[in-house]
Each structure stands twice: as structure tokens, then as C-alpha cells.
Amino acid sequence: MNKKLLSVIAAAFILAGCASGVTRAPNMSAEKMSAPAYSQFASVSLSMSASAKEKALENLKFNPDELLSHVKRALDSRSLISASADSQLPKLEVVVKDMRVRSNFSAIMWGFMAGSDSIEGEIVLTDAAGKELDRFVVSTSYALGGIAGGQDGTRMSWLYEKFAEETVKELTKQQQPVVSQR
């Protein structure tokens, strides 16, 4: 009985240590809420807000190129990046707003008590003329630590991969078939 209870507590602790999600502004127009499904994008880019650039000076382990690479790979795996240079397709920009990366020592020694590693960014879709088509926020956090979960590579890879996964999931959710009631 004690082993079972300990297993449940350990599983809950592990699941609570990592989180990700997508949020949309509560005052978003109905037009953007019902944005069309996007079959492909002309380009994918990454920029950083002024505050994120300042935080990057303190979070040297955050690599914007690696984040962009993960997002591109995730989009490419779903054939969402156009192979041709079709300028009529929408463009996707990842705007990093915030990040936090714990030191290796803090992550291994203190684990979740040292806070969490996190990335928050806005995904902005624009048409060929630069008009905004859609916008949403993706956030990921990783609070596990110890020898297994505290290594920089483990933590950062999980954050980048989950950020890309949440981005693709949000972009493709409108492509899911709608089942009509008869």
C-alpha cells in the first residue's frame, strides 16, 4: 500500500514539474478567433522583445537559434513550411517575450525549489501585406532537477521541443475534421 501511494505522489510531482500551454487574449476579435486553417507558411522567423534581449544577458544558456530550429523542424514535419517562395502565403514570427534558465548547480542541487526554467513567446501570423492574421502566446516551463533532470541539455531540449509542439498544435487545431450532428 505504501509503495502504491508513493508511486502516485511521485507521478503527481513529476507531472507538476513541467508545464506548457497556449493562451489567447480575452478581447480577441471574432475574426481572429475563427482564423482559417493554415496549410503552409512562406517563412518562419524569430525575434526578441526588448525585455527578452535584456534577460538573455542573464540567461546565456537560452539559444534563440535552437528554439527557432525546433519550431521549424516541427512545422516542417507537418509540411507547414512552403518549399517554394510563394509570397502570398502567411508568415509566422516567434517573438520571445520572456525566458529564465537556472544554473546547472541550482537545477541539480535544489531542483524545483530553485524555481523553473521557462520560455514565453508570442506567435504572430501576418499576410503578405503585413496585416496581422492571428496571434497567441505559447509558454513552457520545466522545474524538475536532480542528476537526471537537471542537466542543461535535458532542460533546454525539453523547453524548445515543447514550445514547438504547442505552437504546431495550436496552428493545426483548426485543421481537425469537424463532425456534424445529424
Side-chain angles (χ1 to χ4, degrees):
M1 180 74 168
N2 287 338
K3 287 182 181 180
K4 191 173 186 178
L5 179 60
L6 185 59
S7 296
V8 170
I9 291 171
F13 177 72
I14 288 171
L15 292 175
C18 303
S20 64
V22 171
T23 55
R24 291 186 172 270
N27 59 349
M28 182 174 282
S29 69
E31 180 182 310
K32 287 184 184 171
M33 287 298 280
S34 61
Y38 303 102
S39 59
Q40 286 192 320
F41 300 99
S43 65
V44 181
S45 62
L46 183 138
S47 65
M48 295 176 64
S49 69
S51 64
K53 286 178 184 177
E54 287 180 30
K55 284 194 166 199
L57 298 173
E58 302 166 10
N59 293 278
L60 298 176
K61 294 175 186 175
F62 173 75
N63 184 339
D65 294 331
E66 190 67 25
L67 176 60
L68 179 60
S69 174
H70 274 77
V71 171
K72 283 182 174 180
R73 271 197 311 271
L75 291 167
D76 198 39
S77 73
R78 296 282 200 102
S79 300
L80 292 172
I81 299 177
S82 174
S84 67
D86 186 352
S87 62
Q88 297 305 308
L89 290 174
K91 296 175 182 153
L92 185 146
E93 181 181 13
V94 177
V95 182
V96 177
K97 296 290 192 179
D98 193 21
M99 90 286 292
R100 177 177 188 259
V101 182
R102 297 173 289 174
S103 70
N104 235 1
F105 176 79
S106 293
I108 291 171
M109 286 300 294
W110 309 114
F112 72 93
M113 293 183 295
S116 63
D117 302 301
S118 62
I119 301 172
E120 181 178 295
E122 279 187 309
I123 306 302
V124 182
L125 305 174
T126 55
D127 65 12
K131 178 184 172 201
E132 187 175 305
L133 301 170
D134 198 6
R135 177 184 295 258
F136 55 91
V137 175
V138 175
S139 58
T140 60
S141 67
Y142 185 95
L144 297 179
I147 296 297
Q151 300 298 318
D152 288 340
T154 301
R155 297 185 341 260
M156 297 313 295
S157 287
W158 188 92
L159 284 170
Y160 298 145
E161 193 65 33
K162 202 62 170 172
F163 189 97
E165 181 183 307
E166 290 292 336
T167 299
V168 170
K169 188 168 37 169
E170 184 66 15
L171 290 169
T172 59
K173 76 176 186 177
Q174 295 160 343
Q175 295 177 354
Q176 303 302 321
V178 177
V179 178
S180 61
Q181 301 276 341
R182 290 189 182 191

